[in-house]
Amino acid sequence: MTILETLKAEFHAAFPRLASGNYVHFLMVRHSQSFPVFQTDGVLNTARTQAGLQTTDTMSRLVLFKRKQVTPERLAGRELLRSLQLTSADEADKEKFCEYNGENSCKKCPDCIIYGFAIGDSGSERSKVYSDSAFSLSSYELSHKSFTFNAPFEGGTMSEKGEMRSAINELDHVLPEVTFPTVETLRDPTYEGFLYVLGNLLRTRRYGAQESRTGTVKNHLIGIVFCDGEIFSNLYFTQAIYDAMKDDLNAPIDVICSQSQQVAETLLNNEPVRKRQQIFGDELNNLLAEVSAIYQDEAKLQETLSTLYQQTQSYAETYGAIAGKKKGKKS
Ligand SMILES: [Zn+2]
């Protein structure tokens, strides 16, 4: 029996309307691979925090806001759905795709239903994916570098319509191999919804400023936990890892991952939640191999995501923003 088969009992057959106490926590170490720009208005976001839980001196950390984490994952998922013809916004016009966070959101595709949307008066759906700001394990001083460069116009030139651009921009970049310990949570998924969100975590490579999407980041999954409530925050997780590794923050990523796994298992023992499944180590590696095999097999992937699309569509018709509309039409 595969690991995925042993997990099937943990999932809902259909997305429930109300929170039903099934949480899947994806424990990760996000690891920068080049020079991502996680900034707002030209500067990286930082926060002064306690260094560890036991190490009480303060330090500045880089902050990776939640939108900067989840948006690229959503876009990766939406790209895949489009490639499988699974996001048409219009029954009549199949070429009209669901628009991300816009007036033309379809309100029924896996992205709209799982990650949520809010469109003025025309409805909203709360996200079933919970995330929060992530913090660098090492200090801001050791995690960034400013680069100065000339900022050309879009056409690549330094003048446009006779106007010269003299601005020399200084952009603050995250350095390679900076780690951001992160918990991302999925509430009440179906089996297919679980595969979709996990696939997005494994397949998203570019995070950072949306226009440039400059920075590659690798998400190292270190554990998946099924339980009946929420668990520790990203900051708490980061501080606990800091205590365990403070003399060796530049350790190779394999060491950081195995230390982070041990820390996570210890922290989980103290959480007031009932844990139904905890998947770490070899078992996790086998699970990830099974998930990759689905993503590599076009027929299996099409089948999985088509099933997911039917689930989110029927959820939308029963409870969602398009349910009211349909009823309205009938009367
Ligand atoms: Zn949609």
Side-chain angles (χ1 to χ4, degrees), residues 1-11 191 226 276-277 279 283 287 290:
M1 195 139 108
T2 66
I3 314 254
L4 279 172
E5 278 164 10
T6 65
L7 288 175
K8 276 196 172 163
E10 302 297 331
F11 301 105
Y191 170 71
F226 292 73
R276 286 192 289 267
Q277 298 271 355
I279 305 160
E283 203 186 2
L287 170 68
E290 290 170 23

Side-chain angles (χ1 to χ4, degrees), residues 78 98 105-109 111-112:
R78 294 172 67 90
C98 169
S105 285
C106 75
K107 302 168 195 159
K108 65 182 182 195
C109 74
D111 179 72
C112 284

Side-chain angles (χ1 to χ4, degrees), residues 67 70 74 78 98-102 105-119 123-130 186-187 196-197 312 315:
R67 188 174 287 269
V70 178
R74 290 185 71 159
R78 294 172 67 90
C98 169
E99 194 178 280
Y100 178 63
N101 246 342
S105 285
C106 75
K107 302 168 195 159
K108 65 182 182 195
C109 74
D111 179 72
C112 284
I113 297 303
I114 293 175
Y115 290 93
F117 61 87
I119 319 160
S124 66
E125 178 66 40
R126 251 189 250 164
S127 182
K128 293 158 191 63
V129 176
Y130 299 170
L186 174 60
R187 173 174 70 69
Y196 179 65
V197 171
T312 58
Y315 174 93

Side-chain angles (χ1 to χ4, degrees), residues 248-315:
D248 197 14
L249 291 176
N250 292 318
I253 185 64
D254 289 354
V255 176
I256 295 176
C257 287
S258 66
Q259 288 276 344
S260 302
Q261 180 195 324
Q262 282 179 31
V263 167
E265 289 184 82
T266 307
L267 294 182
L268 282 165
N269 285 335
N270 298 324
E271 291 290 325
V273 292
R274 194 163 36 94
K275 294 170 285 272
R276 286 192 289 267
Q277 298 271 355
Q278 300 187 69
I279 305 160
F280 290 107
D282 288 344
E283 203 186 2
L284 178 67
N285 291 335
N286 292 339
L287 170 68
L288 296 179
E290 290 170 23
V291 172
S292 289
I294 293 173
Y295 275 84
Q296 287 164 0
D297 182 328
E298 196 182 334
K300 273 189 196 148
L301 184 62
Q302 182 82 47
E303 186 193 330
T304 304
L305 295 186
S306 298
T307 305
L308 177 62
Y309 189 88
Q310 282 156 20
Q311 291 165 351
T312 58
Q313 186 168 15
S314 80
Y315 174 93

